[in-house]
Amino acid sequence: MKKIALLGSTGSIGVQVLDAVRRHPNSFKIVAMSAYGESKVFTRQIKEFSPELYAVASTNKEAALEVAAYEDADIVFNAVSGFAGLEYSVTAIKAGKTLALANKETLVCGGEFITRLAKTHGVEIIPVDSEHSAIWQCLGFEKQASFKKLILTASGGPFRGYTWEQLEKVTPKQALNHPTWQMGKKITIDSATLLNKGYEVIEAHELYNAPYSKIETVIQPTSVVHSLVEFADGSVMAQMGTPDMQIPVQLALTYPKHMSTAAQPLSFKKALSVEFIPMTRKQYPLFDLALTCGKEGGTLPCALNAADEVAVKAFLDGKIKFTDIYSTVEHVLSTTERDELVSYKQLEDADSNARWKAQKFIYKLSK
Ligand code: MG
């Protein structure tokens, strides 16, 4: 019986963690749980799973941090969205907890600081993102296994081939309509701008200790190949399946075993063609910017993320154009200096400075 502390239980990933527990009640138990705000859904979840500890983060952050360090938990599942999730990861790592990480900002913003901290505390970080779960499977669940190249797939988003002029007219509704994956709003917009793929390259760099020169990306429009690994002898392994997050979410709990899910398996009864299309950095300016930031490291990826969080929200609120997400992030980065990253406090500062700059820029844009 694996005891789970779940952070972010009402979000898109959190709900799927609870589905996995429901499917396999003899294998898993929720011992602690948090959600951002109070809601009927959270109340219902508490009733159903009766955790020993639960917390609402917006009104009692201390209690939510206790969930992240809950003594009785074997694994902490961080399904919080955005920069807010980073502090929980730091808390869980310091408490020596195995960390199933759906919060990609932890590795994007925290970078080396997080991987160092995890090493110091002997904590294993388990990937939840479908691409990184795929790589992990291709490596035989061995994060230190040797490889020649990691190849991350991207769907290319709903606006592949659009001109800048066409992108300027994109509405939130169009951008929220992802061609292959069902996800939360923020990550769906980041997938449409392809910033998310830049984040995933940074994540892969941190999780698999891979130099950027060994990470490639390729467009696979139907998202049935979730990523690939090339080995020294030229052999390439791919992990495939229907694009359904319940598989990587549950695998983070059951590894190295695979257990049943409700996902539809791929059907080979009909013709299935799998297409790979080369992807260039220039096609996607936010992807390009994220890679540059990732390579420079320090506090820059954190500033990038903060600017993006503010810009995505403004876009969803109808305040700025889709293309202004890029302009905002670009503006913030062009006025931000890189600092070497040694403490968590620096991340908080980099985050709030970049948010402030992004807000000022958006205010000017929308005037
Ligand atoms: Mg992904």
Side-chain angles (χ1 to χ4, degrees):
M1 175 77 79
K2 211 176 238 181
K3 296 178 196 161
I4 306 164
L6 172 60
L7 299 150
S9 68
T10 54
S12 156
I13 300 289
V15 166
Q16 296 183 70
V17 173
L18 295 178
D19 283 342
V21 175
R22 232 179 247 129
R23 272 192 299 273
H24 303 289
N26 298 325
S27 302
F28 308 115
K29 182 175 167 32
I30 298 288
V31 288
M33 188 159 86
S34 76
Y36 178 71
E38 268 184 88
S39 64
K40 276 189 193 146
V41 176
F42 191 50
T43 310
R44 225 181 302 130
Q45 289 175 343
I46 293 164
K47 230 174 156 182
E48 182 181 350
F49 294 93
S50 1
E52 295 152 22
L53 172 70
Y54 59 87
V56 173
S58 58
T59 52
N60 191 348
K61 196 171 167 195
E62 287 307 307
L65 288 169
E66 272 175 47
V67 171
Y70 193 63
E71 211 186 339
D72 204 27
D74 302 312
I75 187 166
V76 173
F77 206 117
N78 187 347
V80 172
S81 142
F83 180 77
L86 207 152
E87 193 177 2
Y88 298 110
S89 293
V90 171
T91 306
I93 293 170
K94 284 186 174 164
K97 299 290 172 188
T98 300
L99 180 62
L101 192 58
N103 175 266
K104 54 182 81 191
E105 290 77 3
T106 294
L107 286 173
V108 170
C109 304
E112 271 173 59
F113 170 73
I114 291 293
T115 36
R116 244 185 347 245
L117 194 68
K119 220 178 182 176
T120 308
H121 292 270
V123 161
E124 194 182 1
I125 299 179
I126 307 298
V128 177
D129 211 343
S130 63
E131 291 77 1
H132 307 83
S133 177
I135 290 168
W136 191 42
Q137 292 174 67
C138 293
L139 294 174
F141 297 106
E142 199 47 71
K143 292 237 276 318
Q144 300 307 323
S146 66
F147 54 83
K148 194 169 163 202
K149 237 184 252 168
L150 305 179
I151 303 141
L152 274 71
T153 53
S155 73
F159 311 124
R160 190 158 55 87
Y162 273 43
T163 62
W164 190 260
E165 289 69 34
Q166 285 173 304
L167 288 175
E168 282 188 325
K169 298 194 185 78
V170 161
T171 63
K173 196 174 163 213
Q174 288 171 310
L176 286 172
N177 190 14
H178 193 273
T180 52
W181 292 98
Q182 287 299 317
M183 303 175 290
K185 278 187 183 177
K186 163 74 167 48
I187 184 174
T188 302
I189 302 299
D190 286 343
S191 297
T193 62
L194 270 286
L195 176 73
N196 180 57
K197 208 46 64 182
Y199 277 13
E200 291 179 347
V201 171
I202 300 174
E203 268 186 288
H205 165 75
E206 297 296 344
L207 275 171
Y208 300 104
N209 197 17
Y212 282 104
S213 58
K214 286 188 171 185
I215 309 172
E216 281 181 14
T217 52
V218 65
I219 291 177
Q220 203 283 293
T222 50
S223 303
V224 296
V225 177
H226 301 142
S227 278
L228 313 93
V229 176
E230 185 190 319
F231 296 93
D233 57 359
S235 166
V236 178
M237 284 187 75
Q239 188 267 332
M240 297 174 71
T242 40
D244 190 328
M245 278 309 291
Q246 61 176 299
I247 301 172
V249 164
Q250 184 177 286
L251 189 63
L253 298 169
T254 64
Y255 70 95
K257 263 201 311 197
H258 293 271
M259 290 168 72
S260 64
T261 67
Q264 277 297 326
L266 274 184
S267 166
F268 297 94
K269 297 264 191 287
K270 307 175 278 198
L272 173 75
S273 55
V274 177
E275 188 187 13
F276 293 99
I277 304 168
M279 177 174 167
T280 59
R281 285 178 66 164
K282 284 207 188 88
Q283 277 173 291
Y284 301 105
L286 269 167
F287 170 69
D288 190 36
L289 212 52
L291 288 196
T292 306
C293 255
K295 283 179 193 164
E296 291 192 23
T299 48
L300 285 181
C302 185
L304 163 90
N305 176 71
D308 179 64
E309 284 190 25
V310 173
V312 167
K313 181 166 188 311
F315 168 68
L316 289 173
D317 291 344
K319 289 184 186 151
I320 60 172
K321 291 185 286 201
F322 185 69
T323 44
D324 289 335
I325 301 175
Y326 170 74
S327 323
T328 306
V329 173
E330 205 273 334
H331 165 79
V332 170
L333 286 174
S334 67
T335 57
T336 300
E337 285 199 18
R338 176 194 187 279
D339 274 330
E340 203 56 52
L341 186 53
V342 287
S343 73
Y344 174 69
K345 175 79 174 65
Q346 279 176 297
L347 290 170
E348 282 188 327
D349 291 345
D351 178 79
S352 60
N353 286 338
R355 271 172 209 275
W356 167 240
K357 282 183 192 169
Q359 264 146 5
K360 265 204 309 200
F361 184 76
I362 287 168
Y363 178 72
K364 273 195 219 150
L365 274 182
S366 50
K367 248 200 330 195

